Amino acid sequence: MSEGVEWALHSCVNLAWSGPDRAVSAARLAAWHDLPAAYLNKQLQALARAGILTSSPGPRGGFRLARPLASISLMDVVAAVEGPEEAFRCTEIRRRGPGAGDPAAEGADAADCAVAHAMTRAELAWRRALAAQNLDEIRQQAEQQAPEAAGRLRAWLAAQ
Amino acid sequence: MSEGVEWALHSCVNLAWSGPDRAVSAARLAAWHDLPAAYLNKQLQALARAGILTSSPGPRGGFRLARPLASISLMDVVAAVEGPEEAFRCTEIRRRGPGAGDPAAEGADAADCAVAHAMTRAELAWRRALAAQNLDEIRQQAEQQAPEAAGRLRAWLAAQ
DNA sequence: GGTCAGGTACTCGGATACGGGTTGTCCGAGTTCCCAGGG
DNA sequence: CCCTGGGAACTCGGACAACCCGTATCCGAGTACCTGACC
């Protein structure tokens, strides 16, 4: 899995802690956790394209949350960064070579492949678990672990 | 996800259809679905190292199932091919840069990271779904779709 | 003092290199089988 | 006919390249702000 997913999730929570009034540039968000700024910018662009963040150029510009944390699921972020295609893709090897059965007799749909069906079922469980958790729950748990984190971020942003 | 997973799963079912009496070489299994023989051999070696298959060298050698299909879960095959490490790995970015909190005050365990905790929970659902399905169920479903597949494979192997 | 024009600095956004890992290929060690020769 | 020894063919197993995607970087277009001059 791409490392950008972790960065994107933390950045979204950081944006929530920063507050909705002002945007935060990719450089600030990157510096906060010592990440490569230009590359994090790439990931944030993906989040903006997915409608999770909004971006504004120029001074005082940057990124901010496009909607409340509670309405952003982990699945949204993962899909935005990793792409919508599923991890396991059936290449239909059973249709190639001498093992290929009669195409007319058998169903031509990829959903008929028992292997693909089973793998898709597992991946569906993964996606469902991701969709069941939203970023606000993440934020609440993080605040419970480190209650001063939000204040420290805001103070650091103000001092920049 | 690695393409070898699909190959390994189909090969295991094919080995079951071939019967436990004789081994099947990687070249035969690869030719059946028109796959690169040497690379499939690599995947089958991984399955052998994991204790899913047994290998025997020399003429009449090849691979055969080490245990019944019903006792091989999808998780076993995926872990053998992809490796045991989990897809999402927490790099603890919250501990780097100015955003790093007081290491003494906060828990030092990676399990405390709310992001990692949520992602791990989803991945656990995936692994659980994989472990809940065994290869014998795959075989049964495949036979229901194409009842003549097993016979055609045995005939082709005998004709080689 | 208010207004406006210009410059400047900062932002995102996409185009551009680099590296590690999956994909793919090759050859050697080892084993089994076959066959010829001898008893 | 039965036994034995040698050779040959076939197999896995690991070592060796090629390609692709994730990682990382850089520069340009555009915008907002600030500054200064002018009315």
Side-chain angles (χ1 to χ4, degrees):
Chain A
M1 166 154 324
S2 174
E3 194 171 358
V5 171
E6 184 184 6
W7 301 0
L9 291 172
H10 279 282
S11 294
C12 284
V13 174
N14 285 336
L15 281 174
W17 280 338
S18 159
D21 48 349
R22 58 170 164 262
V24 183
S25 73
R28 300 272 185 282
L29 284 173
W32 181 244
H33 285 314
D34 198 18
L35 300 175
Y39 189 35
L40 177 63
N41 187 24
K42 199 179 184 62
Q43 314 291 351
L44 297 179
Q45 284 177 34
L47 293 179
R49 271 191 295 268
I52 297 173
L53 303 182
T54 60
S55 63
S56 43
R60 301 283 185 175
F63 295 91
R64 69 187 71 192
L65 291 170
R67 55 184 197 261
L69 270 192
S71 67
I72 304 174
S73 69
L74 286 183
M75 186 70 249
D76 295 333
V77 176
V78 170
V81 174
E82 292 272 291
E85 63 277 2
E86 48 192 270
F88 180 88
R89 61 184 175 86
C90 177
T91 59
E92 287 290 333
I93 64 172
R94 59 177 180 150
R95 298 289 168 74
R96 307 205 308 244
D102 187 0
E106 302 175 3
D109 199 353
D112 295 338
C113 179
V115 169
H117 189 67
M119 291 298 293
T120 300
R121 184 182 310 181
E123 191 161 337
L124 208 66
W126 178 66
R127 299 182 109 87
R128 212 183 300 272
L130 285 180
Q133 303 180 77
N134 66 62
L135 289 190
D136 200 57
E137 297 167 4
I138 305 285
R139 179 187 63 83
Q140 289 178 17
Q141 188 177 345
E143 287 177 357
Q144 196 169 358
Q145 294 275 344
E148 81 288 359
R152 222 175 45 234
L153 173 58
R154 273 194 295 268
W156 180 80
L157 283 175
Q160 288 294 312
Chain B
M1 166 151 329
S2 173
E3 195 171 357
V5 172
E6 185 184 5
W7 302 359
L9 291 172
H10 279 282
S11 294
C12 284
V13 174
N14 285 335
L15 280 175
W17 280 338
S18 159
D21 48 351
R22 56 170 164 264
V24 184
S25 73
R28 299 272 185 281
L29 284 172
W32 181 244
H33 285 314
D34 197 17
L35 301 175
Y39 189 35
L40 177 62
N41 186 26
K42 201 178 184 60
Q43 314 291 351
L44 297 179
Q45 284 177 34
L47 293 179
R49 270 192 295 269
I52 297 173
L53 304 182
T54 60
S55 63
S56 42
R60 301 283 184 174
F63 295 91
R64 68 187 72 193
L65 290 170
R67 54 184 197 263
L69 270 192
S71 66
I72 304 174
S73 70
L74 286 183
M75 186 71 249
D76 295 333
V77 176
V78 170
V81 174
E82 292 271 291
E85 64 277 3
E86 50 190 272
F88 181 88
R89 60 185 176 87
C90 178
T91 58
E92 287 290 332
I93 65 172
R94 59 177 180 150
R95 298 287 168 76
R96 308 205 308 244
D102 187 1
E106 304 175 3
D109 198 353
D112 295 338
C113 179
V115 169
H117 188 67
M119 291 299 292
T120 300
R121 184 182 309 180
E123 191 161 339
L124 208 67
W126 177 67
R127 299 184 109 86
R128 213 183 299 272
L130 285 179
Q133 304 180 79
N134 66 63
L135 290 190
D136 199 57
E137 296 165 4
I138 305 285
R139 180 186 62 83
Q140 289 176 19
Q141 188 177 346
E143 288 177 356
Q144 197 170 356
Q145 294 275 343
E148 82 288 359
R152 219 174 47 233
L153 173 58
R154 274 195 295 269
W156 181 79
L157 283 175
Q160 288 293 311

